[in-house]
Amino acid sequence: MALSLRFGKHKGRTVEWLFFNDPGYVYWMVEQGIDKDTKWFNVHQQSEFEALIRKASHIRIPGICSWCRQEPVTRMFLTVHTSGGLACVDFDCDNCAPEGRGSVALPPGFWTPDFFRNYDKTGAKFLVDAIKSRMFGSRSHRMTEKRITEFWSNNDNFVNE
Ligand SMILES: [Zn+2]
C-alpha cells in the first residue's frame, strides 16, 4: 500500500513518489513530525513511513566504484557547491574517495545531511538523477507509479544490516 498525502502542495501524491520527485519534502515532513502525526498517518502507516525512510537511506547501488572501477559500490560521495547546495554525486567504494573539503561520504540513498534544508531543488535533482542513472541505466528513466511501486517493493534494491 502506498502512502498517500492528504495535505499540502503534493496532496494526492505518495511518499514513495516524493522520493523521486521532491525528496526534500519527505525530510521536511519528518523534521516537522508530520510522519508521526495520527491526524495524517495512522499507526500502521507510520510504521510503513518509517520503513520507507530506512530503505531510502540504504539503497543498494548496482555496478562498480566509479573511481577504482573494481570494488562494488558501498557509498555515495557528495560534493558541495560553493553556493552551499549539492553540486555532484559519485558512487564509490570504502577504499576510495579521500574526504576533502566540501565533500561527504554517505550510505547511498535519498537522504543528505543539509542540502535539502534550504530546499536545494537543483541538488535534489542531481541526487535523484544519479540514483536513477545507476539503478535504471538512465537519468531520464520515467518513474511511473508502477515502476515506483516495483522499486520500493523489491528488497534486492536495499542493503540489509
Ligand atoms: Zn573504489
Side-chain angles (χ1 to χ4, degrees), residues 23 51 64 76 107 127 136 139 149:
I64 53 171
M76 63 181 185
L127 180 60
F136 310 109
R139 53 188 57 227
T149 305

Side-chain angles (χ1 to χ4, degrees), residues 65 68 71 93 96:
C65 170
C68 66
E71 300 297 319
C93 73
C96 289

Side-chain angles (χ1 to χ4, degrees), residues 61-98:
I61 298 290
I64 53 171
C65 170
S66 56
W67 293 19
C68 66
R69 302 201 174 275
Q70 286 176 356
E71 300 297 319
V73 172
T74 49
R75 58 186 198 175
M76 63 181 185
F77 191 69
L78 309 177
T79 308
V80 186
H81 191 262
T82 45
S83 70
L86 177 58
C88 189
V89 181
D90 280 303
F91 295 106
D92 64 327
C93 73
D94 289 341
N95 305 326
C96 289

